[in-house]
Amino acid sequence: MSEKAVLLIDGYTLTTQELYNLSFGGVELQLSADAIERVKKGREVVDKIVESGEVVYGINTGFGLFSNVTVRPDQLEELQVNLIRSHSSGVGEPLNMARTRMLLALRINVLAKGHSGISLLNIEKMIKAFNASCLSCVPQKGTVGASGDLAPLSHLALGLIGEGKMWNPKTEELGDAADILKENGLSPIVLTAKEGLAMINGTQLIASLGAESIERSSNVAKCADVACALTLEVLCGTVRAYHPLIHKVRPHVGQQFVAHRIRTLLQPSNPSELFNSHRYIGKVQDAYSLRCAPQVHGIANDTVEFVRGLMTTELNSATDNPMVFTAEQVKNEVPFGFDLPIGDEGKEAAAGRASPPSVDQASSLDKPADASDVTDLEAAKKEIASLRQTVYQQTAKKNWGFFKKNSDLQLETGHGVIMSGGNFHGEYPAKALDYLAIGVHELAAISERRIERLVNPSLSALPAFLVQDGGFNSGFMIAHCTAAALVSENKVLTHPSSVDSISTSAAKEDHVSMGGFATRKCLEVVDHVETVVAIELLAACQALEFHRPLKTTAGLEKVYELVRSEVKPWDKDRMMSPDIEAVKRMVKDGRIWAAVESFVDVE
């Protein structure tokens, strides 16, 4: 048995391609030396705070609306387990093993940055589970994309602590997590302070499925160019509209790439037998679906690359809350948020000895916090200062409030810094994936128009629905309907989910990204695009049959041969679904592009 490849995880350099490749298995993870040191130092910050007894959100408090509740030291481990159990509230079909593998790998990569406070022991247990393909059962639905993907990541963590369900790597069926871990020589994760929160707070469901959408979109965009080239050829079109001069004067990167791909596949300097049989005599210009492919396909390509760049940043970002920083990392930084007093007044407030608020300060509690009744800037500053001082004094009496904010200043005692922020909010990947869905959908929209031209005899001069004995045979009639149906579904699916928000957690989390839905429906859009492009390839290959014995270019003949290796010509009606699925697999697994890749740079 050959050794598995190893991917070094450092929290900074993971790509969408690497993450997608992990979904197929056969690769093991290993932490880099730098990541190991960062994880150790981040955990030391948490341990020191636990030892000091200071009250810090996520370590010894409740969560969300319950962030004001202090938890006793003897309850800290149970607190983290309770968090995982209660937040495991997802519903719907579980992620398959491939997608769960991506989710776990990405969570490990984020933890490797050292800003989550997880122990090295437990991140190593996560890596062992990944390497053994012991993958938790993760329902797809239940995340609103802020505070991160709490429900799916909780299910991911639940299996790793030996509860809930887990995929059996031998049978690929679900079983009890505790039993599957034991059968594979693994021990459950035992959570200590902050570790439960560290495992579930982030955008990794959105981002991991987003990485798959990006890579599949990139691939199908290239396949759409191939399909367009073959359709242009069998419809006796011209590559005149793909001339470099046209695209240099509107120099969008994607547009130029597409024009180059299609032009070189059709080899204008060495035309095919098929083109030489008609030489575009008597025609002026082709329909938009043929002539404008560089402009339409081009923006899809540029969209993919834009989203890839944004998502690469997201894959390598710390999206936890609260965030852990070592003293060394922040020694030159100024604490932010509420600037608590550090002098005698601050010490008195910490000890609960602050003077009672003045009449003016006390009355300010009844005023709106936006100082909207102040007519000049200086008065506004004084009122805000007064409000802050009152808040400090009032919360000092409750203990938790002062010390929670005091966690921003732990450098004073030699600890690191733990700060609450909003890096878990999924708006970035949610917006990007909504954009990707819109961009890649257009490949199917224009492909369906080309299919129409292939099957409509008034537009193609080919037999109706690409079959002999029309009427007795229906040929590609309903295959075109399938493409049209998927394109119409995409018109609904491309409505941006990230324009929606709904308040949750008793209005503590009052704006959310809906990124979980954005990433799931983006995958569905991509899947539809792959199917429509597969139907176009099928139809174009069938159209080529009516031009035989004439041949197309060498590259496109390779595509024809690949399709015909699994799908025979359509001589008479038969069940078409298997043919569509066969060519869709060729699109999805990269075989279509691989068949022509070596021809693309040949002028």
Side-chain angles (χ1 to χ4, degrees):
M1 183 175 174
S2 59
E3 290 187 6
K4 290 184 178 181
V6 175
L7 179 65
L8 206 61
I9 294 293
D10 61 10
Y12 286 87
T13 59
L14 185 66
T15 67
T16 56
Q17 181 70 68
E18 287 173 334
L19 184 59
Y20 183 47
N21 288 345
L22 288 175
S23 70
F24 302 108
V27 178
E28 292 189 345
L29 303 182
Q30 180 180 318
L31 277 183
S32 71
D34 287 345
I36 289 172
E37 288 306 308
R38 287 194 301 269
V39 170
K40 285 180 178 178
K41 290 177 180 178
R43 184 61 202 178
E44 286 175 5
V45 175
V46 176
D47 289 340
K48 287 178 180 178
I49 290 173
V50 172
E51 291 169 8
S52 73
E54 293 162 4
V55 180
V56 178
Y57 174 67
I59 294 180
N60 43 23
T61 71
F63 309 99
L65 184 67
F66 297 128
S67 61
N68 299 351
V69 178
T70 304
V71 178
R72 300 195 313 266
D74 62 331
Q75 295 178 312
L76 294 185
E77 291 184 11
E78 188 176 359
L79 169 70
Q80 300 300 315
V81 175
N82 284 348
L83 176 70
I84 300 300
R85 289 169 177 162
S86 67
H87 285 40
S88 295
S89 302
V91 297
E93 290 296 313
L95 296 176
N96 60 29
M97 292 183 71
R99 289 174 178 165
T100 309
R101 194 175 285 116
M102 286 194 295
L103 179 63
L104 178 55
L106 184 52
R107 192 61 202 166
I108 291 168
N109 188 63
V110 170
L111 295 174
K113 295 183 76 69
H115 295 301
S116 299
I118 196 168
S119 65
L120 181 60
L121 173 65
N122 281 339
I123 195 172
E124 286 179 339
K125 284 186 176 182
M126 294 173 73
I127 290 173
K128 287 179 181 178
F130 178 93
N131 292 343
S133 285
C134 290
L135 306 167
S136 304
C137 175
V138 180
Q140 296 184 41
K141 298 180 181 180
T143 175
V144 293
S147 171
D149 296 317
L150 290 173
L153 289 173
S154 294
H155 283 279
L156 184 72
L158 190 68
L160 295 171
I161 66 173
E163 299 186 14
K165 299 293 183 180
M166 180 173 274
W167 292 100
N168 188 319
K170 299 181 179 67
T171 65
E172 297 190 355
E173 295 179 351
L174 290 171
D176 289 334
D179 294 338
I180 291 171
L181 288 172
K182 185 176 180 180
E183 289 170 8
N184 287 273
L186 303 176
S187 59
I189 284 176
V190 177
L191 299 171
T192 59
K194 198 186 179 298
E195 292 193 290
L197 190 57
M199 293 182 71
I200 70 170
N201 211 336
T203 60
Q204 282 67 59
L205 178 79
I206 307 172
S208 61
L209 299 187
E212 178 180 341
S213 286
I214 290 165
E215 294 307 319
R216 287 172 60 183
S217 294
S218 178
N219 173 66
V220 77
K222 291 182 284 190
C223 293
D225 293 348
V226 176
C228 179
L230 187 52
T231 297
L232 185 67
E233 177 82 328
V234 298
L235 290 178
C236 299
T238 177
V239 293
R240 198 173 297 156
Y242 296 81
H243 195 285
L245 286 175
I246 292 175
H247 303 285
K248 284 180 180 178
V249 296
R250 195 192 192 193
H252 292 295
V253 174
Q255 177 177 331
Q256 293 187 90
F257 276 152
V258 171
H260 176 72
R261 286 174 189 158
I262 295 176
R263 186 173 66 249
T264 54
L265 281 172
L266 290 170
Q267 297 178 346
S269 61
N270 184 25
S272 68
E273 293 177 0
L274 178 51
F275 181 82
N276 282 330
S277 71
H278 63 84
R279 300 196 65 80
Y280 206 64
I281 294 173
K283 296 182 180 181
V284 178
Q285 58 187 14
D286 293 316
Y288 287 1
S289 60
L290 301 172
R291 186 167 23 123
C292 301
Q295 292 79 6
V296 177
H297 290 204
I299 184 57
N301 282 263
D302 285 343
T303 300
V304 171
E305 293 311 309
F306 169 79
V307 176
R308 188 198 305 278
L310 188 147
M311 198 63 68
T312 300
T313 299
E314 188 72 12
L315 298 187
N316 297 288
S317 294
T319 55
D320 203 347
N321 185 58
M323 306 289 293
V324 177
F325 298 94
T326 65
E328 182 182 1
Q329 289 168 330
V330 295
K331 64 183 178 181
N332 295 321
E333 298 293 331
V334 176
F336 53 86
F338 289 117
D339 294 330
L340 296 180
I342 305 175
D344 292 339
E345 291 181 4
K347 293 176 182 177
E348 288 179 1
R353 298 195 299 270
S355 302
S358 67
V359 174
D360 290 341
Q361 290 169 341
S363 64
S364 69
L365 292 175
D366 298 325
K367 294 183 179 180
D370 61 0
S372 58
D373 58 339
V374 178
T375 57
D376 63 75
L377 182 60
E378 290 305 314
K381 289 180 179 179
K382 290 178 180 178
E383 179 155 351
I384 291 170
S386 174
L387 285 168
R388 284 183 171 176
Q389 184 65 27
T390 302
V391 170
Y392 299 155
Q393 292 170 349
Q394 293 297 315
T395 56
K397 297 176 182 178
K398 299 178 183 178
N399 294 324
W400 65 266
F402 178 85
F403 287 113
K404 183 180 172 187
K405 284 300 176 186
N406 196 44
S407 65
D408 285 1
L409 304 172
Q410 288 305 316
L411 285 176
E412 295 296 313
T413 60
H415 299 171
V417 176
I418 294 186
M419 289 183 284
S420 292
N423 278 3
F424 52 74
H425 202 294
E427 199 71 18
Y428 262 101
K431 280 285 189 289
L433 292 169
D434 279 339
Y435 179 36
L436 179 62
I438 293 169
V440 74
H441 154 72
E442 210 60 36
L443 296 173
I446 196 170
S447 175
E448 181 275 329
R449 291 292 78 210
R450 291 193 295 264
I451 296 169
E452 159 76 3
R453 304 195 76 79
L454 287 165
V455 302
N456 188 335
S458 66
L459 301 174
S460 68
L462 293 166
F465 302 111
L466 302 173
V467 69
Q468 299 287 11
D469 299 326
F472 179 70
N473 292 310
S474 297
F476 277 70
M477 181 186 295
I478 305 305
H480 173 238
C481 287
T482 298
L486 295 180
V487 168
S488 284
E489 282 192 28
N490 277 0
K491 293 172 186 176
V492 176
L493 291 171
T494 52
H495 177 81
S497 65
S498 63
V499 300
D500 183 30
S501 179
I502 189 166
S503 181
T504 61
S505 193
K508 187 81 168 183
E509 299 161 6
D510 59 351
H511 183 277
V512 299
S513 72
M514 301 309 297
F517 187 33
T519 197
R520 287 190 293 107
K521 69 184 184 64
C522 186
L523 274 173
E524 190 170 359
V525 168
V526 173
D527 188 77
H528 289 169
V529 175
E530 290 168 340
T531 305
V532 173
V533 170
I535 293 171
E536 183 183 358
L537 285 164
L538 268 174
C541 286
Q542 179 65 17
L544 188 57
E545 303 292 348
F546 296 103
H547 291 290
R548 293 306 196 194
L550 298 174
K551 289 194 171 186
T552 181
T553 62
L556 295 179
E557 284 291 340
K558 290 291 185 182
V559 174
Y560 172 84
E561 291 169 9
L562 176 62
V563 170
R564 288 289 175 253
S565 69
E566 295 190 28
V567 178
K568 64 182 181 180
W570 195 272
D571 298 323
K572 60 181 181 178
D573 282 349
R574 63 176 185 266
M575 182 179 177
M576 186 168 278
S577 292
D579 294 351
I580 295 172
E581 289 300 323
V583 178
K584 180 183 176 181
R585 285 192 296 272
M586 294 176 184
V587 170
K588 186 176 177 181
D589 65 22
R591 281 180 286 164
I592 292 292
W593 178 246
V596 302
E597 188 172 10
S598 63
F599 296 92
V600 167
D601 290 322
V602 178
E603 285 284 353

